[in-house]
């Protein structure tokens, strides 16, 4: 039995999947957080949050990395950690530094820090010749406006350090760019209280479908698990409205996406002890890297993969954090594709009606999760405002996405927000 240190977590699906994977692997964990109430608030009424199943729960200032390293050293001397892990992007660099300080398995801190900063990723990949959009990074408005004119409208403006598509916007002119600039200037800290770098990343707008390449690196070898497709909506925001695994791509396109992701991971140095989710645009000029995430895919993509291949990427994430070779053997699950679609609200108000009961017994349905009536609803501007999701599988081929879209159409017909 191994003992892991879990440093913070997302409060969505991964906050449940990761404790489950640790427990099912026969391991235990200590949970380290700066604000336990952040997780207590997210638990369903009358239920304990899975993170509270930790052997130990310790409060410490996880946003002060230098002080935390000393604290974790003292804890390690008493509790004896075999690995350190987090599901939250904002603490991936911290976990990498803890692993390095304690001599535990994991990717190098510099590689993780570069992947977690979108501007650093752009520079590293450009220097290595990995294809991506033209880009510029600036802090002052005059420099931002000038760089935008040089790249040319329309383009994409984004923060360099936020997650879930927050404040990532298509901008068609300087007035829209100024709106994004002001939004980011008014956001000095992220959702976890960490101070943000006051810079804006501008990127050439890439056309074409978007996919992600799911990989696992162990002992210097990068294993490709597969390619997931992605649908985007909510313009001018870029909201993920659904995914399907495996992506319905020609073999040549899938291979090109995989090779581009492998080049990006190698350039960043993410070739050992990391599960990665690399987003790729399939443009007319070939694949272009959108971003590299040194952690398992979110939005329940890991569950799509498990339903189709039998591979549990969250369990594999735990094993590589312990320095162990994970189980990547595929099994016949009876499904050839699995897809998820998200119910994205376009208006604000209070959720009055949303009934998915009749859909739970529909053919191919794997999961339905819906918000309860009475929920305060915001018009979606990122991946954080979903009202629920539907997941379905297809035993015969790539038909899972069509099944999900049909199910979502039925849900939308009964959706009432006032």
């Amino acid at each position: 039995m191994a003992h892991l240190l879990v440093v913070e977590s997302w409060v969505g699906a991964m906050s449940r999947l990761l404790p489950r994977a640790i427990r099912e692997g026969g391991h235990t964990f200590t949970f380290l957080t700066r604000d336990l109430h952040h997780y207590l608030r997210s638990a369903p009424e009358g239920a304990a949050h899975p993170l509270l199943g930790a052997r130990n729960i310790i409060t410490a200032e996880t946003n002060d990395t230098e002080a935390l390293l000393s604290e974790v050293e003292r804890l390690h001397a008493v509790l004896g950690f075999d690995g350190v892990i987090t599901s939250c992007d904002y603490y991936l660099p911290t976990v990498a530094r803890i692993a390095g300080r304690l001599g535990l398995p994991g990717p190098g801190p510099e590689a993780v820090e570069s992947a977690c900063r979108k501007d650093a990723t752009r520079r590293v990949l450009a220097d290595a010749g990995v294809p991506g959009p033209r880009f510029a990074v600036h802090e002052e408005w005059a420099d931002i406006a000038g760089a935008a004119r040089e790249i040319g409208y329309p383009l994409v403006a984004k923060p360099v350090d936020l997650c879930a598509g927050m404040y990532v916007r298509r901008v068609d002119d300087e007035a829209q760019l100024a709106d994004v600039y002001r939004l980011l200037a008014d956001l000095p800290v992220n959702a976890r209280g960490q101070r943000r770098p006051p810079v804006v990343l501008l990127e050439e707008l890439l056309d074409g479908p978007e996919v992600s390449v799911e990989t696992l690196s162990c002992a210097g070898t990068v294993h490709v698990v597969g390619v997931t497709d992605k649908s985007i909506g909510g313009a001018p925001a870029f909201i993920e409205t659904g995914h399907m695994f495996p992506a319905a791509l020609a073999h040549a396109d899938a291979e090109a996406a995989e090779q581009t992701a492998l080049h990006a991971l190698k350039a960043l140095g993410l070739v050992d002890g990391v599960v990665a989710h690399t987003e790729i645009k399939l443009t007319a000029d070939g694949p272009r890297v959108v971003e590299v995430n040194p952690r398992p895919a979110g939005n329940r993509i890991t569950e799509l993969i498990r339903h189709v291949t039998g591979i549990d990427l969250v369990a594999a994430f735990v094993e590589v954090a312990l320095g162990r070779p994970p189980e990547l053997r595929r099994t016949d699950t009876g499904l050839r594709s699995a897809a998820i679609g998200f119910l994205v609200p376009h208006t604000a108000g209070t959720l009055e009606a949303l009934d998915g009961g009749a859909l739970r017994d529909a053919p191919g349905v794997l999961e339905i999760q819906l918000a309860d009536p009475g929920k305060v609803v915001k018009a979606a501007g990122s991946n954080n405002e979903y009202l629920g999701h539907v997941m379905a599988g297809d035993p015969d081929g790539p038909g899972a996405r069509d099944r999900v879209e049909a199910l979502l159409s039925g849900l939308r017909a009964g959706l009432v927000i006032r």
Side-chain angles (χ1 to χ4, degrees), residues 369-381:
Q369 181 177 313
L370 301 174
D372 294 324
K375 176 182 174 64
V376 176
V377 178
K378 295 195 302 182

Side-chain angles (χ1 to χ4, degrees), residues 18-19 34 45 118 229 238 246 259 274 288 305 317 322 373:
L18 184 55
R34 67 191 297 265
E45 186 174 350
K118 295 177 177 64
D229 78 6
F238 294 85
Q259 290 302 313
V274 63
R288 299 289 184 267
I305 294 168
F317 184 41
L322 294 169

Side-chain angles (χ1 to χ4, degrees), residues 71-86:
E71 175 68 14
V72 167
E73 280 186 315
R74 290 190 290 271
L75 291 172
H76 182 51
V78 176
L79 300 175
F81 304 122
D82 300 296
V84 56
I85 198 168
T86 184

Side-chain angles (χ1 to χ4, degrees), residues 271-307:
V271 294
D272 195 15
V274 63
V275 178
H277 167 72
T278 303
E279 297 175 348
I280 306 280
K281 274 278 192 179
L282 301 176
T283 76
D285 298 320
R288 299 289 184 267
V289 175
V290 176
E291 62 185 44
V292 180
N293 300 283
R295 42 80 178 161
N299 268 351
R300 299 192 75 77
I301 290 173
T302 57
E303 294 303 280
L304 301 181
I305 294 168
R306 184 176 62 83
H307 281 299

